[in-house]
Amino acid sequence: MNQILRSEGAKGVFINNRWQPSRSGRTIPMIAPADGQAFAAIAAGNEEDIDLAVAAARAALETGAWGRLTATERGRLLLRLSRLVDDHAEELAQLEARDTGKPMKQARADVVAVSRYFEYYGGAADKVHGDTIPFLEGFLVNTLYEPLGVTAHIIPWNYPGQMFGRTVAPALAMGNATVIKPAEEACLVPLRLAELAAEAGFPEGAINVVPGLGEEAGAALANHRGIDFISFTGSPEVGTLVQIAAAKNHIGCTLELGGKSPQIVFGDADLAAAVQSVAAAVVQNAGQTCSAGSRVLVERRIWDRFMADLKRRFEQIHAGTPEMDLDLGPVISAGQRSRIGAMLERAEASGARILAQGQIATNSPAEGFYVRPTLYHEVDPVSELAQKEVFGPILAAMPFDSEEEAIRLANGTDYGLVAGVWSGDGSRAIRVARKVRAGQLFVNGYGAGGGIELPFGGMKKSGHGREKGFEALYEFGALKTLIVKHG
Ligand code: NAD
């Protein structure tokens, strides 16, 4: 593996199915989170590269082969890419693991999800259709979907491959031409996927990828006057900038900005299952998951027993390199590790107490960006630890006395992405789930293993718009109403 990856130099920017040198002439080193070593480089794309990518996408739609394909033909290309992803699954998983530090089993699962995105939206491409609407006598009214045009996709580093599939596949299925700005911390899989798409037969300009810094390539793309829509996943701060840019250009955007997702555990739940799931939901991907279950709310009558079981579970969790394939890997960068450390210092100063910690495998490289999974109790519900996204393997536990208090605590942050309810009383579980303000609610479980078919997105500060499922297709389609007077 190392040999393939060490030879990885900056290939440039991927426009019109070709690698081209970035007009900036600069590169960005790629640091492996597992050992802190630079192992590759990417181009630092700039405003000029973004101009060329947007122009290529526009030409693909207006004069190129892409704009002339039928929905069925587009679907076939997506299916072909899905199969190529399967054929290159191990290569992609190794690249993703090296780039992000995640355990190999998770990187492999991520690649399965990437393939599923292209399979699902490949199958869906020719199944999106409008309606016939009854209207006045002598009229025929139809709605129809057309592509929005050039769609911009700014994606994060936590699941580079999955995020590419999640946002790009539905946009292509609807016939848009895409410009993608992946994250500078980890983007080798999106770059490889663009190459595979060319091999699958996507015409020039349908998929253009410009790696680079957020404030340079990202800002140039978000503010570009030639784009018709922005799909963004990342921090609320950058999400605000993206939404301002979209507003200035009078275009739409979807924003997925993370969460502080609660799991509510009632005393009548299957506690053994809940303990396993609550721990897994916050250590997956080292807690760097927008839908991480980073708060657990526990009914006071089972607090002591549940927390004792959760403590035992946390103490068994191990972090290590991708090849060790343990529960979690390192976090993405030294900067993220320091940010998390500073947050935890403030949490402890405000009264939060550590109940349990997992381990970092002793043979993990000292230069890697490892963070010990930590379970905090006595967390003040209004403190920073209970309110803000840590984006690390850190769980904040709080007790509650009544159903009403559980709902109030669950809804008591600015976020509203995902929530879980654990109870043996089905009526209560559904009643509570319906009162929690979040885009996705789980009952007696948490996490959908990719959940490509399941609409996903936030309320409140978690963002707006829906990804996954058919909903994502509608986000990327322009609905037209055709009114014909036939007398
Ligand atoms: P970020 O929002 O800075 O980066 C996300 C993407 O936006 C990257 O591609 C980045 O290059 C780009 N970007 C950055 N500045 C930009 C700008 N001015 N204009 C346009 N694009 C820009 O996120 P981050 O700094 O990498 O992470 C910070 C925090 O964000 C994390 O700790 C976490 O809380 C949150 N986050 C959430 C998700 C999620 O899945 N919701 C993903 C990554 C990070």
Side-chain angles (χ1 to χ4, degrees), residues 39-86:
F39 70 101
I42 56 164
N46 67 6
E47 200 174 338
E48 274 182 80
D49 298 315
I50 292 288
D51 277 345
L52 291 167
V54 172
R58 179 65 59 198
L61 285 171
E62 293 182 356
T63 52
W66 176 242
R68 292 194 295 274
L69 295 185
T70 63
T72 308
E73 289 166 334
R74 291 198 301 270
R76 283 192 192 123
L77 285 174
L78 272 97
L79 290 170
R80 219 174 284 154
L81 178 54
S82 165
R83 282 193 292 273
L84 273 180
V85 169
D86 293 340

Side-chain angles (χ1 to χ4, degrees), residues 154-159 163 166 181-185 212-220 222-223 232-239 241-242 256-259 288-291 336 339 389-391 415 417:
I154 300 177
I155 64 179
W157 41 259
N158 49 351
Y159 293 88
M163 291 292 170
R166 179 167 119 184
K181 208 303 280 175
E184 53 270 47
E185 293 85 353
L213 297 173
E215 59 272 25
E216 193 173 12
N223 288 283
F232 173 80
T233 300
S235 61
E237 295 73 25
V238 177
L241 297 176
V242 166
E256 203 271 81
L257 309 177
Q288 306 166 116
T289 304
C290 44
S291 56
Q336 276 293 108
R339 199 186 64 82
E389 191 173 47
V390 179
F391 235 54
Y415 290 104
L417 192 60

Side-chain angles (χ1 to χ4, degrees), residues 140-393:
L140 175 70
V141 181
N142 287 124
T143 56
L144 52 112
Y145 285 95
E146 290 188 356
L148 291 168
V150 176
T151 53
H153 305 259
I154 300 177
I155 64 179
W157 41 259
N158 49 351
Y159 293 88
Q162 277 212 54
M163 291 292 170
F164 183 97
R166 179 167 119 184
T167 174
V168 175
L172 293 170
M174 284 301 269
N176 299 284
T178 59
V179 180
I180 299 113
K181 208 303 280 175
E184 53 270 47
E185 293 85 353
C187 64
L188 297 180
V189 167
L191 293 172
R192 184 73 182 109
L193 289 170
E195 274 181 348
L196 291 176
E199 197 178 321
F202 276 88
E204 284 189 353
I207 301 172
N208 306 280
V209 187
V210 180
L213 297 173
E215 59 272 25
E216 193 173 12
L221 180 57
N223 288 283
H224 204 285
R225 296 182 67 85
I227 61 170
D228 299 292
F229 189 80
I230 313 177
S231 159
F232 173 80
T233 300
S235 61
E237 295 73 25
V238 177
T240 304
L241 297 176
V242 166
Q243 188 155 11
I244 291 170
K248 282 186 180 158
N249 279 332
H250 299 283
I251 59 172
C253 63
T254 51
L255 301 179
E256 203 271 81
L257 309 177
K260 192 72 194 178
S261 299
Q263 296 222 55
I264 304 170
V265 185
F266 285 98
D268 58 2
D270 175 346
L271 298 187
V275 162
Q276 293 299 323
S277 177
V278 165
V282 76
V283 296
Q284 181 186 340
N285 214 41
Q288 306 166 116
T289 304
C290 44
S291 56
S294 52
R295 292 185 294 154
V296 60
L297 313 177
V298 183
E299 192 169 3
R300 200 179 301 272
R301 70 185 172 93
I302 53 149
W303 171 264
D304 288 344
R305 179 181 155 200
F306 187 82
M307 293 308 290
D309 290 351
L310 195 55
K311 176 176 187 294
R312 263 193 301 280
R313 176 71 196 104
F314 251 75
E315 285 166 350
Q316 294 161 356
I317 294 170
H318 282 80
T321 64
E323 294 76 15
M324 291 176 195
D325 226 357
L326 305 174
D327 302 294
L328 70 156
V331 297
I332 192 75
S333 63
Q336 276 293 108
R337 188 177 54 182
S338 318
R339 199 186 64 82
I340 294 167
M343 249 179 120
L344 298 186
E345 273 175 28
R346 291 195 294 275
E348 285 163 37
S350 79
R353 294 284 162 260
I354 293 177
L355 183 63
Q357 285 195 297
Q359 306 300 323
I360 297 167
T362 45
N363 45 346
S364 306
E367 300 79 14
F369 311 132
Y370 298 93
V371 172
R372 280 181 80 180
T374 306
L375 169 60
Y376 279 92
H377 66 153
E378 296 174 37
V379 178
D380 180 350
V382 298
S383 67
E384 184 188 42
L385 185 61
Q387 292 286 322
K388 298 273 183 275
E389 191 173 47
V390 179
F391 235 54

